[in-house]
């Protein structure tokens, strides 16, 4: 009931995102049902049916990724003060978010089932003069348990993924080993607290003297007149005309650790593709729906490794792009853009890497497409649109999440006098820097992926 109330009382923007999740789930469910129909109409060709079912794994993964991104930006399930006292702790909010995602995906799956039954003619007769009767097996009875099993894949996997991503985390202090442990009063055992040295106390006193450097007056002496050489320090609410680089948000101390692994997996994928085409002994794999022939089955493994490598390397490349923006004596604009990129690398880097993987795969398939071969079928077009739309929507949703995360920083910059045009310029600079780095990378990976198959 709580999930239904939160779903009904959400803002229109949140409702639009949930409807997009339901639409993606409907498209994925329809593709799975069409795979079932092909298997029913071609019982003597189980290999092609399994290939079509494996091809549906890509739209399913894109839909789950998008559902997780939407759940992360849902303000109704965000932890707030006072909710734990009402019984809405982090675990309860996580369960509510997973239930909301399951409801959205279930709605899409039911719509897919209704459309599938309508095209089969099970509801009101065959539409479109029976054009879809062949690949939907309209003359065969529909196995309802198999159809329901396929339709529950998207809601089940999406809700489990949301629950895993939004699970409560305990903030435990990092272990410092035996050197950081001490025995306190009455044998109390624990981690030692960092001590303040005399130099730190002196520096703190220097800050205090910087705020008010007037000497202390002896007792009973008349107060000195205010000096014009020591104006009062400005309050935090007083806007300043220029933006000091020292007031910018601090750069993160640690970089994402997936860049070496991503580069290694990417190189391994390209090597597998090149080696598979040189030592090909088995028959080539024909993709369904008019897609180009991909050669040996190991080429698909190479493409999968390449896409995984780009997804793993995305956060590290985004962090590296932010660091490059701050090189060669940067000003306040480049410092702001670079530090925001470094801080948001883990949040927007992985969706950006997935978008690059999808773009490189689409470019490679387009380059290998034979004009004399069969044209793209409707299911292939639906799958490509679904994967592309989900990846782009996931990236935009991650950008919205990053904007919500830095709302306090943005308000603080505006409060100290940063012009709004500077913030917009920093956003444009970040977008241009990411495009300048990931655009050529996508083209290079796509050319290298298509080069072995073009021979």
């Amino acid at each position: 009931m709580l999930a239904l109330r939160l779903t009904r009382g959400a803002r229109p923007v949140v409702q639009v995102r949930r409807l997009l999740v339901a639409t993606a789930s409907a498209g994925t469910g329809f593709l799975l049902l069409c795979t079932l129909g092909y298997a029913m109409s071609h019982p003597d060709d189980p290999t092609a049916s399994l290939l079509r079912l494996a091809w549906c794994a890509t739209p399913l993964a894109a839909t789950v990724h998008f559902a997780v991104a939407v759940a992360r930006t849902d303000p109704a399930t965000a932890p707030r003060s006072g909710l734990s006292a009402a019984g809405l702790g982090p675990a309860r909010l996580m369960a509510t978010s997973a239930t909301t995602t399951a409801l959205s995906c279930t709605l899409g799956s039911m719509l897919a089932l209704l459309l599938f039954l309508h095209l089969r003619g099970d509801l009101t007769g065959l539409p479109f003069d029976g054009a879809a009767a062949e690949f939907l097996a309209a003359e065969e009875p529909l196995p309802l348990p198999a159809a329901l099993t396929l339709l529950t894949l998207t809601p089940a996997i999406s809700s489990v993924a949301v629950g895993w991503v939004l699970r409560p985390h305990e903030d435990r202090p990092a272990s410092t080993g035996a050197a950081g442990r001490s025995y306190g009063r009455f044998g109390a055992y624990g981690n030692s607290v960092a001590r303040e040295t005399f130099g730190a106390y002196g520096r703190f006193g220097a800050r205090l003297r910087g705020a008010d450097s007037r000497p202390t007056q002896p007792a009973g002496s008349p107060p000195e007149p205010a000096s014009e050489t020591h104006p009062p320090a400005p309050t935090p609410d007083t806007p300043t005309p220029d933006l000091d680089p020292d007031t910018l948000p601090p750069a993160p101390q640690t970089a994402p650790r997936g860049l070496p692994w991503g580069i290694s997996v990417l190189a391994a994928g390209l090597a597998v593709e090149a080696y598979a085409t040189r030592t090909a002994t088995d028959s080539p794999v024909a993709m369904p729906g008019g897609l180009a022939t991909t050669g040996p089955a190991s080429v698909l493994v190479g493409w999968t490794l390449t896409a995984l490598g780009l997804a793993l390397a995305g956060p590290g490349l985004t962090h590296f792009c932010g660091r490059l923006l701050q090189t060669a004596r940067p000003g306040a604009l480049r410092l702001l853009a670079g530090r925001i990129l470094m801080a948001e690398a883990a949040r927007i880097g992985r969706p950006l890497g997935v978008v690059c993987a999808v773009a490189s795969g689409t470019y490679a398939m387009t380059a290998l497409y034979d004009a004399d071969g069969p044209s793209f079928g409707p299911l292939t077009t639906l799958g490509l649109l679904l994967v592309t739309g989900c990846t782009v929507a996931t990236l935009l949703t991650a950008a919205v999440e990053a904007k919500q995360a830095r709302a306090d920083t943005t308000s603080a910059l505006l409060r100290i006098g940063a012009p709004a045009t500077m913030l917009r310029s920093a956003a444009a600079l970040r977008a241009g820097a990411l495009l300048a780095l990931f655009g050529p990378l996508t083209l290079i990976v796509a050319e290298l992926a298509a080069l072995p198959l073009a021979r």
Side-chain angles (χ1 to χ4, degrees), residues 113-128:
L113 180 60
L114 290 177
L115 179 60
F116 184 76
L117 294 177
H118 175 68
L119 294 179
R120 277 174 50 91
D122 295 336
L123 299 179
T124 58
L126 286 174
F128 307 111

Side-chain angles (χ1 to χ4, degrees), residues 103-394:
L103 289 176
S104 301
C105 294
T106 303
L107 174 62
S109 298
M110 293 299 102
L111 293 177
L113 180 60
L114 290 177
L115 179 60
F116 184 76
L117 294 177
H118 175 68
L119 294 179
R120 277 174 50 91
D122 295 336
L123 299 179
T124 58
L126 286 174
F128 307 111
D129 297 330
E134 182 179 357
F135 67 91
L136 296 182
E139 298 179 356
E140 300 290 336
L142 179 65
L144 190 59
L148 294 180
T149 300
L150 292 177
L151 289 177
T152 54
L153 287 178
T154 304
I157 298 177
S158 299
S159 58
V160 170
V162 168
W164 175 259
V165 172
L166 300 182
R167 68 189 187 277
H169 296 276
E170 295 182 0
D171 298 332
R172 297 179 178 179
S175 178
T176 56
R181 297 173 179 173
S182 62
Y183 293 89
R185 183 180 300 178
F186 300 112
Y189 179 76
N191 294 329
S192 61
V193 182
R195 299 179 178 178
E196 291 186 356
T197 61
F198 181 79
Y201 179 80
R203 288 191 297 271
F204 178 62
R207 295 192 186 96
L208 293 179
R209 288 192 300 272
D212 189 4
S213 58
R214 290 177 297 179
T216 304
Q217 297 293 330
S221 60
E224 293 184 357
S227 176
E228 297 182 357
T229 59
H230 299 285
T235 60
D237 296 334
T238 303
T240 56
D242 297 330
L243 182 61
D244 189 2
D246 294 336
T247 62
L248 296 177
Q253 300 296 329
T254 59
R257 302 178 180 179
L259 183 58
W261 287 101
I263 294 177
S264 301
V265 174
L266 176 62
L270 296 176
V272 167
E273 295 176 19
Y275 181 77
T277 53
R278 291 179 180 271
T279 61
T281 57
D282 52 348
S283 59
V285 177
M287 295 296 291
L291 290 176
T293 301
T294 60
S298 54
V299 175
L300 296 178
V301 178
W303 281 3
T304 304
L305 291 177
T306 301
L308 181 61
L310 285 175
L312 290 177
L317 292 176
T318 305
H319 188 274
F320 177 71
C321 186
R323 188 174 293 276
L324 286 180
L325 282 177
Q326 304 178 68
T327 58
R329 301 178 62 86
L333 179 61
R334 283 200 292 151
L335 278 177
L336 178 62
R339 291 184 181 181
I340 290 179
L341 270 185
M342 293 173 65
E344 298 174 354
R347 185 175 286 110
I348 67 173
R350 187 150 300 169
L352 189 57
V354 173
V355 169
C356 291
V358 172
S360 61
T362 304
Y363 180 84
M365 296 301 298
T366 305
L368 296 174
Y369 177 70
D370 188 6
D372 299 332
S375 60
F376 287 169
L379 297 182
T380 304
T381 305
L382 175 62
L384 292 177
L385 291 178
L386 184 61
V387 172
T388 305
C390 285
T391 51
V392 175
T394 302

Side-chain angles (χ1 to χ4, degrees), residues 37-117:
Y38 182 86
M40 293 167 53
S41 59
H42 299 80
D44 54 345
D45 193 3
T47 304
S49 301
L50 289 177
L51 181 61
R52 289 174 177 265
L53 184 61
W55 184 81
C56 292
T58 303
L60 178 60
T63 302
V64 171
H65 194 201
F66 178 49
V68 171
V70 170
R72 288 172 61 95
T73 57
D74 193 350
T77 57
R80 292 183 293 270
S81 59
L83 291 181
S84 298
L88 296 177
R92 181 73 181 277
L93 291 178
M94 178 268 295
T96 303
S97 182
T99 305
T100 305
T101 303
L103 289 176
S104 301
C105 294
T106 303
L107 174 62
S109 298
M110 293 299 102
L111 293 177
L113 180 60
L114 290 177
L115 179 60
F116 184 76
L117 294 177

